[in-house]
Amino acid sequence: MNLKQKLYDLLGQHKGKVQEAQKAVEAGELDRAEALTNEAKSLAGEIEKVKALIAEEERYSGSEDGEEAKKGIRIQQEGDGQDGYQKAVKAFAQAAREGFPRQKAAGDMMQEGVDADGGYTVPSDIVTKIIELREARESLLDEVQVIPVTTKSGRRTFKKRGQHQGFATVAEAAKLGKAATPQFTVLNYEVEKRGGYLPVTNELLEDSDNNITAVAQQWLADEARVTANKEILAVVAAKTAQDLKDLDGILKAWVGLGSAFRSTSKLITNDDGLLWLGKLKDANGRYLLTPNPAEPQQLRLCMGPYVLPVKTYDNDTIPTQDSKIPMILGDLKSGVAYWDRRQFSVKVSDSAVVGEFNAFEQDMTIWKGTLRDDCTTWDDEAFVNGYISAAAGTGADMPMG
């Protein structure tokens, strides 16, 4: 495992521990919360160590001559004590003040220098912070398989979960029987460029290095998260939508996923779906949508002897379209792959016109940001693109339980 992949994994583990600790506090499990907090602190220490190693590796590999690289490391050690991130902040802020120049500035620690279309490539330490901010807020990226990639295109060969048959029992010294021919799937990805704009006041460039960088980081993180959400929903929407009609339809679709995915599946919906599900009752007037006793923040839908985890997002994240309330059912981590290039670039203009916004007339600057990613289906048997009509009845007083 390379250092950047290790850092990515550690960040994910740290986020998980923090979230678990918060839930433990809410549940009154203070001893567990303290233990989880200590684990999170330990992971934070490992993260800083890996970041330092990455910075050293990039400084060394970025030089054309090994001795020059070693000399650069010695200068860093004897310098002002700034870590890699603070140096990246200083370099990014200076580049912003200079209009994100096309030429690579000495010591800016950029990943790949100048972008193909002339944009300024955001330094890797800043990118890491952007990814942290992107993952700090809940998004559909939590539901799918996120695969960091370092190339513009590539492929993965895998075997679908439902096709695994396991090894056969073989007696000692006996001949291994012929198994069925494995069915492998080849999945290609092609990283594409996505772009957007941010108008900023010229006064921002007179602010501190940290404030300039913070504005850019939060903007790019928010845009990256929303962009990913849209791409994930587009992949889901590419599968034929099924009208689930009512609670029985939800149960039928869930069972139809088969044992390969049923145990790891959940129902994903929006605020409209939460309202619809929240009205469901059994014949005794008991609500079918209830909190999980072990994790009160998590919801579950009780359908007789069956319990289906439910995850809701706001309508901005998963919109209701044409009066069809989204009911995505299944295991999206097995169904959808998000190919994360983790590369951002920025260009700037003080005269561009975007829609009704004129940077020159309004004495502002427009930053154009781009990122590179792709989103594809991994296993289309792992999920159902379902919906419930907003006009459909809730099926109250259903004979469940």
Side-chain angles (χ1 to χ4, degrees):
M1 179 185 296
N2 61 44
L3 287 175
K4 291 187 178 181
Q5 177 64 52
K6 183 175 180 62
L7 176 61
Y8 183 82
D9 292 343
L10 286 172
L11 289 171
Q13 293 176 38
H14 181 265
K15 177 184 176 183
K17 294 296 181 184
V18 171
Q19 290 177 337
E20 287 184 51
Q22 292 173 341
K23 292 176 181 177
V25 170
E26 294 169 356
E29 302 172 355
L30 300 184
D31 289 341
R32 181 167 176 263
E34 183 178 2
L36 289 166
T37 300
N38 290 334
E39 290 180 38
K41 289 179 179 178
S42 177
L43 287 168
E46 290 186 53
I47 288 170
E48 292 306 314
K49 291 178 182 178
V50 174
K51 283 182 179 180
L53 288 172
I54 290 174
E56 294 296 321
E57 183 181 74
E58 289 181 346
R59 280 194 291 275
Y60 187 87
S61 62
S63 174
E64 295 179 359
D65 185 275
E67 290 302 317
E68 287 298 316
K70 293 176 183 177
K71 180 181 177 181
I73 292 173
R74 288 197 298 272
I75 291 173
Q76 160 65 16
Q77 292 172 338
E78 297 167 2
D80 56 10
Q82 290 181 315
D83 63 17
Y85 175 69
Q86 285 303 320
K87 285 199 169 186
V89 166
K90 183 176 181 179
F92 182 88
Q94 185 59 31
R97 295 187 182 101
E98 295 174 357
F100 294 114
R102 298 170 65 94
Q103 292 298 320
K104 180 177 178 181
D108 69 1
M109 297 176 61
M110 286 190 288
Q111 280 181 306
E112 297 180 16
V114 179
D115 183 68
D117 61 358
Y120 173 89
T121 301
V122 177
S124 59
D125 289 281
I126 303 295
V127 171
T128 299
K129 184 64 176 178
I130 291 169
I131 299 301
E132 290 177 4
L133 290 171
R134 184 189 72 181
E135 296 179 348
R137 292 180 60 184
E138 204 170 54
S139 79
L140 294 178
L141 284 170
D142 297 331
E143 308 295 342
V144 305
Q145 184 176 179
V146 179
I147 306 174
V149 295
T150 57
T151 57
K152 185 176 184 299
S153 61
R155 60 172 55 190
R156 294 288 190 278
T157 302
F158 70 101
K159 191 174 184 180
K160 293 184 177 182
R161 188 191 296 186
Q163 294 175 341
H164 288 280
Q165 298 174 347
F167 292 125
T169 301
V170 184
E172 292 297 331
K175 185 181 293 186
L176 182 64
K178 183 178 180 181
T181 303
Q183 299 296 313
F184 292 98
T185 300
V186 176
L187 185 63
N188 297 301
Y189 69 87
E190 183 74 27
V191 171
E192 298 183 43
K193 182 170 70 174
R194 327 279 179 183
Y197 300 93
L198 174 70
V200 299
T201 62
N202 292 329
E203 286 73 21
L204 173 64
L205 302 180
E206 300 173 6
D207 211 330
S208 68
D209 293 350
N210 285 332
N211 286 348
I212 292 172
T213 306
V215 168
Q217 287 175 162
Q218 192 62 62
W219 163 53
L220 291 171
D222 288 339
E223 292 300 318
R225 182 179 59 257
V226 174
T227 299
N229 287 343
K230 290 181 178 178
E231 292 176 51
I232 291 167
L233 289 177
V235 170
V236 172
K239 188 171 183 179
T240 303
Q242 294 185 26
D243 184 358
L244 302 180
K245 299 185 183 301
D246 51 28
L247 185 62
D248 286 337
I250 293 175
L251 175 60
K252 182 178 179 181
W254 181 48
V255 173
L257 289 169
S259 59
F261 301 107
R262 194 159 52 240
S263 62
T264 54
S265 292
K266 67 177 68 169
L267 177 62
I268 299 173
T269 188
N270 62 6
D271 291 336
D272 293 333
L274 176 62
L275 181 61
W276 190 89
L277 293 170
K279 295 179 180 179
L280 296 174
K281 298 179 183 179
D282 65 14
N284 297 315
R286 294 174 299 190
Y287 287 102
L288 303 182
L289 185 66
T290 62
N292 183 344
E295 299 285 350
Q297 298 296 318
Q298 297 178 2
L299 296 173
R300 60 182 192 174
L301 183 62
C302 301
M303 301 177 288
Y306 307 107
V307 176
L308 176 62
V310 175
K311 179 66 177 179
T312 62
Y313 291 87
D314 58 53
N315 281 19
D316 290 332
T317 302
I318 309 180
T320 296
Q321 298 180 340
D322 300 324
S323 298
K324 296 178 179 179
I325 301 172
M327 294 280 176
I328 304 168
L329 188 63
D331 180 357
L332 288 187
K333 284 193 181 295
S334 297
V336 178
Y338 178 78
W339 309 91
D340 191 359
R341 183 67 175 84
R342 298 172 67 186
Q343 182 187 69
F344 297 83
S345 61
V346 183
K347 295 180 71 174
V348 66
S349 173
D350 60 2
S351 60
V353 177
V354 178
E356 299 181 357
F357 183 87
N358 188 309
F360 181 78
E361 290 181 353
Q362 296 177 245
D363 193 27
M364 295 182 73
T365 299
I366 294 179
W367 288 0
K368 176 185 176 183
T370 59
L371 62 84
R372 287 165 171 75
D373 65 5
D374 192 17
C375 192
T376 62
T377 300
W378 185 268
D379 188 343
D380 61 1
E381 296 178 1
F383 66 94
V384 172
N385 176 24
Y387 68 90
I388 294 286
S389 173
T394 60
D397 299 329
M398 287 188 168
M400 292 283 183

